[in-house]
Amino acid sequence: MKRPGWDEYFMQITQLVATRSTCMRRKVGALLVKDKNILATGYNGVPSGITHCDVTGCLRDQLNVPSGERHELCRGLHAEQNAIIQAAKHGAGISGSILYCTDSPCIICSKMLINAGVTKVVFGRGYPDKLSLEMLAEAGISFHQHVGEAQE
């Protein structure tokens, strides 16, 4: 068995993190990594203590909101947002870190990653939000789509 490279290793972990997601549309997992150490993880879903969408139903489905649009019309947080929140909650500085995520970030998450000082983004699946990648590039944040075994 071949030992995985770092990108492959962390991308495989994002897949495991995504299994905790309570989103009915798309299960997403994210890691913030610095110096090859995981600082925080996040998956998409509703805030702590709020009824999950598998009980209430998906608001976005009910309103016929297409993927990649109207992010505010959702009861949940994105995996990247939850990873940033977990890092802040536990006092982990993420400036200079790398985001590994099952999916490319949306524009809202990209803006948060830029201001948080994340220096690189590695993602699996694409996401219908070209502005997010344009802003990452303009901010000098490198990014690439990982096409290894972890991508489905």
Side-chain angles (χ1 to χ4, degrees), residues 25-74:
R25 280 184 151 193
R26 181 185 293 243
K27 299 204 177 294
V28 180
L31 308 174
L32 287 165
V33 174
K34 190 171 185 179
D35 299 325
K36 298 178 181 144
N37 291 293
I38 298 171
L39 302 176
T41 66
Y43 51 87
N44 57 328
V46 298
S48 299
I50 303 297
T51 305
H52 294 288
C53 297
D54 59 356
V55 175
T56 65
C58 176
L59 178 63
R60 295 177 63 78
D61 281 347
Q62 293 165 8
L63 298 174
N64 294 318
V65 179
S67 183
E69 296 179 16
R70 304 292 313 267
H71 302 289
E72 75 280 6
L73 295 176
C74 180

Side-chain angles (χ1 to χ4, degrees), residues 118-135:
V118 170
T119 59
K120 182 178 176 181
V121 173
V122 180
F123 62 91
R125 297 177 291 203
Y127 190 71
D129 194 340
K130 292 183 183 200
L131 180 59
S132 65
L133 298 180
E134 290 172 8
M135 287 189 73

Side-chain angles (χ1 to χ4, degrees):
M1 182 189 234
K2 185 180 174 198
R3 185 176 183 199
W6 288 108
D7 280 357
E8 184 68 30
Y9 172 71
F10 290 125
M11 287 302 293
Q12 287 180 12
I13 295 171
T14 66
Q15 294 292 323
L16 179 61
V17 172
T19 65
R20 291 282 305 153
S21 170
T22 60
C23 181
M24 298 171 67
R25 280 184 151 193
R26 181 185 293 243
K27 299 204 177 294
V28 180
L31 308 174
L32 287 165
V33 174
K34 190 171 185 179
D35 299 325
K36 298 178 181 144
N37 291 293
I38 298 171
L39 302 176
T41 66
Y43 51 87
N44 57 328
V46 298
S48 299
I50 303 297
T51 305
H52 294 288
C53 297
D54 59 356
V55 175
T56 65
C58 176
L59 178 63
R60 295 177 63 78
D61 281 347
Q62 293 165 8
L63 298 174
N64 294 318
V65 179
S67 183
E69 296 179 16
R70 304 292 313 267
H71 302 289
E72 75 280 6
L73 295 176
C74 180
R75 293 171 48 82
L77 292 157
H78 288 187
E80 303 94 322
Q81 294 168 340
N82 274 325
I84 291 168
I85 291 165
Q86 286 302 307
K89 188 175 179 179
H90 297 288
I94 60 172
S95 183
S97 68
I98 299 170
L99 174 83
Y100 288 90
C101 195
T102 55
D103 295 69
S104 177
C106 73
I107 185 60
I108 295 168
C109 290
S110 287
K111 291 186 280 189
M112 292 175 72
L113 295 166
I114 290 166
N115 277 359
V118 170
T119 59
K120 182 178 176 181
V121 173
V122 180
F123 62 91
R125 297 177 291 203
Y127 190 71
D129 194 340
K130 292 183 183 200
L131 180 59
S132 65
L133 298 180
E134 290 172 8
M135 287 189 73
L136 289 176
E138 184 177 343
I141 296 174
S142 65
F143 59 87
H144 72 273
Q145 186 170 15
H146 180 75
V147 291
E149 296 171 9
Q151 186 179 350
E152 294 183 326

